[in-house]
Amino acid sequence: MSGDVWFAVLPDGAAGVAAAQLLRPWTTDSIAHDSGRPWLLGSWPDGHVTVGAAGARRVAVIGRCPVTADTLSARVGRLRGIGDVRRIAQGLHGSFHLVASADGSVLARGSASGVRRLFHTRVAGVTVAADRSDRLAALTGAGPDERLLAAHLLASPLPYPLDDLCVWQGVHALPSSDCLLLDAEGRARTRRWWTPPTPELGWREGVPAVRDALTAAVGSCTASGGTVSADLSGGMDSTSLCFLAAREQDGIRSAFARAHLVTMRWRSLDPDNDDELWAARAVSRLPGAEHVTPPRDRWPLWYSGLPALTDATAPAVPTDEPGPWVRDGARMAALAALMTDRGSRLHLMGGGADELFCTLPPHLHDLVRRSPSAAFARIRTQRAAQHWPLGQLVRQLADRRTFAQWLTAWADGLTDPPPSSAALVRSAPSTAWGVDLRIPPWATPDAVHAVRDLLHEAAGSADTAEPLAAERGQHAALACVRTGGRGLRQLDQVTSARGLPHAGPYLDDAVIEAALAIRVSERSTPGRYKPVLAAAMRDIVPADVLGRRTKGEYSADFHTGLRHNRAALVGLFEGSWLARAGLIDDAAVRAALLGVHPTPEALRSFSSTLGCEVWLRAGRGSTRPPSTASTEGAP
């Protein structure tokens, strides 16, 4: 199925019927409460929504999950009330929304990573929820919130704690760890449904659960049979997924290998990138799969294929918020065409593994306080290998700021000059609560003030002034998981519109919980690359394929893409809509594009700015409903 995939959730009351009528112009599918009133409206492909029913109670699983209606109905039969819904999801694998209707109340939630999100607003006197914020904005006539647009210049997806804010005025994002409860009158309240695990397991104790969860996550992708496709870059993350999807043991296909596998690899323009060597090794051990590697001259460059955006002819943008995916838009289109031509119904990607199986520098701050001898041994090893300046590292480790204090300092330093590339090479890694992102130099003073105010407000709010975990290492991992989840959500919106949904098994809730239950300091070890993932994939991925210690680098792709598409990018920022909104100095953007950049770091934030520009121009027209004639006969 091509086109937008979406759903809305309505309360089980008379007032919800009026709101449903406003959604009808977009609706091709609908499911009713037991009362007969509209419950779920939207547009989705066959198999995307599974409903279980017992008496007057209903539960819908929306997304990727191999549960059957009969199995779900049996679980619903054991439901004691709307507050008992969490038990229904126990043991279900995949990535999905969960929506329940029982006793006149409705509960809805997404996923912990934010791959599955929910938004809500007031429509016709009741609260309506949906998985796409632009659908709700269309109902209320809302426009973009320019403060949030300014924040997307800083980073897109937005970093925590700004990532639970919505870019549309009057539309609210449901925090990933909360569920939404609607009563029959359409009144809403929220309640926490997910708490991250306490990282208390040794890595050997945690590996079996990681293996089981990841196997089941990939199994949820292949369970429906047919053809699935997957990235095969040559890295450990995507390679592990490919072997799980086409797994054989002793010559007998695994129960999880129910689908034909097509792998996809694109070649880097850097001749020293060793992805090709490792991908070829994996390909030789996957004889039952079909392997696609487009020639370099037939694979789009970064920044290629930008639409000729004008005020008069602005194409619809498939995402409901800005995102850096625009840089890779032509590649996504080419990927979707290549894979759907081969019959793929779902594409697997390895995003999320770095966040789960690499230890981020903030963990050293925790380790020094919890186990000084272990911390000093690790620091000594890493300093010797990476030449960290001792004085700078000691200052980092001595930092005692709370999360709120760090947020305030980040806000105050938004316009500080970033360190040079040479300084980054010679510096110790930051062990702060997060990355002190800098707003791009082309942001206007108004944009800077808007973002600074948002961060100060977050630092002063009881809801957002707290970290995601008590210790910095676990907090940093959770924050990165949320960023990865929101990025995958956008990627899926883009490729689903072209008939190729995306799946990121590493970002499934069960995999996240298994990985983050392992002690942070044991998720990686100096001299060993992703030891937890490597141990979990032992006897699934061949040892010689699993032994990679390097990671591909793509500066050459950046420079070549920029050089070939510079004129189009410069032209795009002549008459910029972001400039009209007072958020950027478009002359400064053009000057930056025409400058000389030895590394991609100087234009790190350009992809976010580009995504905002394209979204702002095109997105304002994408919320209009189709004509009445095109929806006659919709349920």
Side-chain angles (χ1 to χ4, degrees):
M1 175 180 178
S2 299
D4 287 346
V5 176
W6 65 281
F7 69 89
V9 183
L10 296 157
D12 189 10
V17 177
Q21 288 303 113
L22 297 175
L23 282 163
R24 291 291 182 186
W26 291 283
T27 298
T28 61
D29 300 277
S30 65
I31 299 171
H33 292 282
D34 179 69
S35 64
R37 301 185 186 101
W39 175 33
L40 301 173
L41 298 179
S43 181
W44 55 77
D46 291 344
H48 189 66
V49 180
T50 301
V51 177
R57 294 171 176 173
R58 305 279 187 273
V59 172
V61 171
I62 306 173
R64 170 172 50 85
C65 181
V67 69
T68 65
D70 287 345
T71 299
L72 193 57
S73 295
R75 291 179 175 231
V76 176
R78 298 191 291 271
L79 187 67
R80 292 191 294 265
I82 201 73
D84 195 35
V85 169
R86 184 171 181 174
R87 287 197 312 122
I88 288 184
Q90 290 178 351
L92 297 183
H93 294 280
S95 176
F96 50 86
H97 290 87
L98 190 70
V99 186
S101 171
D103 308 319
S105 297
V106 171
L107 179 147
R109 69 163 175 83
S111 63
S113 67
V115 174
R116 308 288 176 176
R117 298 187 72 187
L118 279 173
F119 304 86
H120 57 95
T121 193
R122 297 287 291 180
V123 177
V126 300
T127 297
V128 176
D131 67 327
R132 288 190 63 112
S133 57
D134 53 355
R135 284 287 172 263
L136 298 179
L139 289 180
T140 61
D145 184 327
E146 291 184 357
R147 289 208 310 166
L148 269 297
L149 274 178
H152 277 275
L153 298 176
L154 181 69
S156 191
L158 293 174
Y160 180 81
L162 304 181
D163 55 353
D164 278 332
L165 299 176
C166 180
V167 75
W168 295 100
Q169 296 175 12
V171 179
H172 307 283
L174 183 71
S176 302
S177 57
D178 287 359
C179 60
L180 185 71
L181 293 158
L182 303 177
D183 65 16
E185 302 302 317
R187 294 182 293 256
R189 59 188 175 93
T190 61
R191 186 176 68 198
R192 193 173 183 91
W193 76 270
W194 189 79
T195 301
T198 302
E200 56 189 7
L201 298 179
W203 74 270
R204 287 185 177 85
E205 297 173 88
V207 160
V210 170
R211 180 187 178 104
D212 290 347
L214 191 54
T215 300
V218 175
S220 73
C221 299
T222 61
S224 297
T227 297
V228 299
S229 52
D231 293 335
L232 180 55
S233 69
M236 185 186 293
D237 310 337
S238 62
T239 298
S240 297
L241 298 182
C242 288
F243 276 91
L244 281 169
R247 180 178 168 192
E248 290 189 10
Q249 291 181 323
D250 300 324
I252 301 174
R253 278 183 87 72
S254 160
F256 287 101
R258 299 190 182 107
H260 173 62
L261 175 66
V262 179
T263 73
M264 169 68 191
R265 181 174 66 84
W266 58 272
R267 292 186 170 105
S268 170
L269 299 175
D270 185 352
D272 294 326
N273 189 317
D274 63 349
D275 277 356
E276 188 161 354
L277 170 67
W278 288 94
R281 185 175 295 183
V283 164
S284 70
R285 309 297 287 272
L286 290 167
E290 179 182 354
H291 304 286
V292 179
T293 306
R296 285 186 179 90
D297 61 356
R298 294 182 57 189
W299 189 243
L301 298 172
W302 284 1
Y303 306 117
S304 293
L306 290 173
L309 297 176
T310 67
D311 292 353
T313 59
V317 166
T319 60
D320 59 353
E321 62 182 356
W325 62 268
V326 174
R327 183 197 72 180
D328 299 308
R331 290 187 171 190
M332 293 182 195
L335 169 70
L338 284 169
M339 297 299 100
T340 55
D341 283 351
R342 287 162 175 79
S344 178
R345 58 174 178 79
L346 182 69
H347 190 80
L348 283 64
M349 52 87 76
D354 287 346
E355 293 86 335
L356 297 178
F357 302 114
C358 291
T359 300
L360 300 170
H363 92 281
L364 293 172
H365 190 276
D366 311 320
L367 193 60
V368 162
R369 287 153 177 79
R370 194 183 332 106
S371 180
S373 60
F376 293 142
R378 176 166 290 199
I379 289 169
R380 185 168 53 248
T381 300
Q382 294 189 256
R383 274 198 71 225
Q386 301 177 45
H387 309 292
W388 294 343
L390 180 59
Q392 186 186 41
L393 180 61
V394 169
R395 287 191 296 273
Q396 294 268 17
L397 295 173
D399 174 30
R400 294 182 177 275
R401 289 176 299 176
T402 64
F403 179 69
Q405 290 169 336
W406 170 77
L407 267 183
T408 300
W410 176 21
D412 294 340
L414 275 177
T415 57
D416 290 351
S420 66
S421 298
L424 285 173
V425 171
R426 296 190 302 267
S427 66
S430 171
T431 63
W433 287 100
V435 180
D436 297 332
L437 296 171
R438 300 290 184 255
I439 201 157
W442 48 79
T444 63
D446 285 347
V448 174
H449 292 153
V451 179
R452 184 169 286 144
D453 287 348
L454 286 170
L455 289 172
H456 279 306
E457 288 169 13
S461 166
D463 293 329
T464 54
E466 294 299 321
L468 295 167
E471 293 192 333
R472 295 185 182 190
Q474 185 79 334
H475 164 82
L478 285 162
C480 288
V481 163
R482 288 162 63 106
T483 299
R486 285 152 174 75
L488 172 58
R489 176 178 177 270
Q490 287 199 347
L491 178 61
D492 179 54
Q493 287 182 348
V494 173
T495 59
S496 288
R498 294 180 175 272
L500 186 70
H502 259 66
Y506 292 108
L507 292 168
D508 286 7
D509 287 352
V511 179
I512 293 169
E513 290 172 354
L516 296 188
I518 297 171
R519 285 190 284 268
V520 180
S521 60
E522 296 190 31
R523 293 176 202 160
S524 69
T525 304
R528 297 184 63 196
Y529 185 62
K530 296 183 180 174
V532 171
L533 180 58
M537 292 297 99
R538 188 172 295 129
D539 300 326
I540 295 175
V541 180
D544 62 322
V545 175
L546 207 53
R548 186 176 183 183
R549 299 290 182 268
T550 59
K551 194 171 181 68
E553 203 272 337
Y554 294 92
S555 294
D557 298 83
F558 162 77
H559 288 297
T560 303
L562 181 60
R563 185 171 63 251
H564 280 261
N565 295 294
R566 195 187 309 268
L569 291 169
V570 169
L572 186 64
F573 283 91
E574 292 174 350
S576 162
W577 280 41
L578 287 171
R580 293 184 198 177
L583 298 178
I584 67 166
D585 177 348
D586 51 358
V589 177
R590 295 194 297 272
L593 289 169
L594 294 169
V596 177
H597 306 290
T599 71
E601 186 61 29
L603 286 177
R604 176 197 58 79
S605 55
F606 174 67
S607 291
S608 294
T609 301
L610 176 64
C612 285
E613 179 68 30
V614 171
W615 184 87
L616 184 60
R617 292 189 186 209
R620 285 188 170 180
S622 67
T623 59
R624 291 191 298 267
S627 67
T628 303
S630 67
T631 58
E632 287 181 357

